[in-house]
Amino acid sequence: MLGRSIRMAGMIHQLVDVMNEQTERHTELYGLSLEEKDAIIKNDIDTLQNLVNLKNMVISQNSRLEKQRISLVNDIAEVMGHKSKDLSLADVIEMLKEQPNDQEILRESGTKLKEAVNKLKEVNDINKSLLESSIEFVEYSLNALRSTIEPELPEYPTRLPHANNGGAGTFNTTS
């Protein structure tokens, strides 16, 4: 029983470390997204491209951390005698009712991570809206430009009048 408790405490602390690192990555993404918003507003394509590359690196790091987090939650579930591999953080916190200190540390870490994710979502929603507006403006500008470049062609009737009686627009072969 003591070995299980020590192993469990180690996994809980690993989980907290991973979640704290995820919070840092989300906070980093938030800062990059704020810079991205400014670049969108300024229409600074070079800066925007650099920020997208940086964000992709951070997202890759965060994906690795997410896999670690899921693996740790599954290991904790197994040690606690639970078969479900789809435990939420709230489920893990509930399982730790006999360990209130670990329960509180895990709850705080989860709250910080959730707050960081929500802040990131908000700024990404703003950026999405700005990009959609920019695309609409570009499409509008292209359509306006096309209308000034492409002259309106006159419409011709499908049948010319007097086509069979030697009128204008036909060749008269009886001269």
Side-chain angles (χ1 to χ4, degrees), residues 4-172:
R4 181 180 140 195
S5 294
I6 292 172
R7 182 172 177 224
M8 181 67 139
M11 286 189 294
I12 295 297
H13 290 288
Q14 280 182 308
L15 179 59
V16 168
D17 289 345
V18 167
M19 290 172 56
N20 288 342
E21 194 170 338
Q22 281 187 296
T23 300
E24 290 174 22
R25 296 296 73 77
H26 279 87
T27 301
E28 188 176 351
L29 283 171
Y30 175 77
L32 291 171
S33 292
L34 287 175
E35 290 180 47
E36 187 178 52
K37 182 179 91 172
D38 292 340
I40 293 168
I41 291 169
K42 293 176 184 174
N43 202 21
D44 185 347
I45 303 301
D46 291 334
T47 299
L48 201 55
Q49 183 61 47
N50 289 335
L51 289 168
V52 167
N53 292 337
L54 288 171
K55 283 178 69 174
N56 284 337
M57 289 187 329
V58 175
I59 289 168
S60 176
Q61 294 169 352
N62 208 27
S63 293
R64 179 186 50 80
L65 290 167
E66 182 64 10
K67 288 176 185 173
Q68 284 180 333
R69 187 191 66 76
I70 290 169
S71 177
L72 283 165
V73 168
N74 289 339
D75 290 347
I76 290 168
E78 187 178 310
V79 167
M80 296 296 287
H82 292 271
K83 293 182 182 177
S84 174
K85 296 288 185 184
D86 297 323
L87 290 178
S88 69
L89 184 60
D91 295 331
V92 174
I93 291 171
E94 180 62 29
M95 288 189 297
L96 296 174
K97 55 186 157 197
E98 295 176 15
Q99 299 153 336
N101 289 339
D102 288 340
Q103 200 177 34
E104 186 56 32
I105 290 169
L106 195 55
R107 184 178 290 117
E108 286 176 22
S109 182
T111 299
K112 288 178 185 175
L113 179 56
K114 186 175 181 175
E115 288 170 356
V117 168
N118 287 337
K119 281 176 58 174
L120 178 60
K121 183 183 180 324
E122 286 175 15
V123 74
N124 281 340
D125 287 345
I126 291 169
N127 288 350
K128 178 183 174 187
S129 178
L130 287 171
L131 286 170
E132 288 171 350
S133 294
S134 294
I135 290 170
E136 287 174 11
F137 178 74
V138 167
E139 288 175 349
Y140 172 80
S141 297
L142 285 174
N143 287 335
L145 185 61
R146 280 188 197 120
S147 69
T148 61
I149 292 174
E150 296 174 0
E152 295 245 353
L153 297 176
E155 290 188 33
Y156 294 103
T158 55
R159 268 184 64 194
L160 293 175
H162 314 291
N164 292 333
N165 63 4
T170 62
F171 291 105
N172 190 346

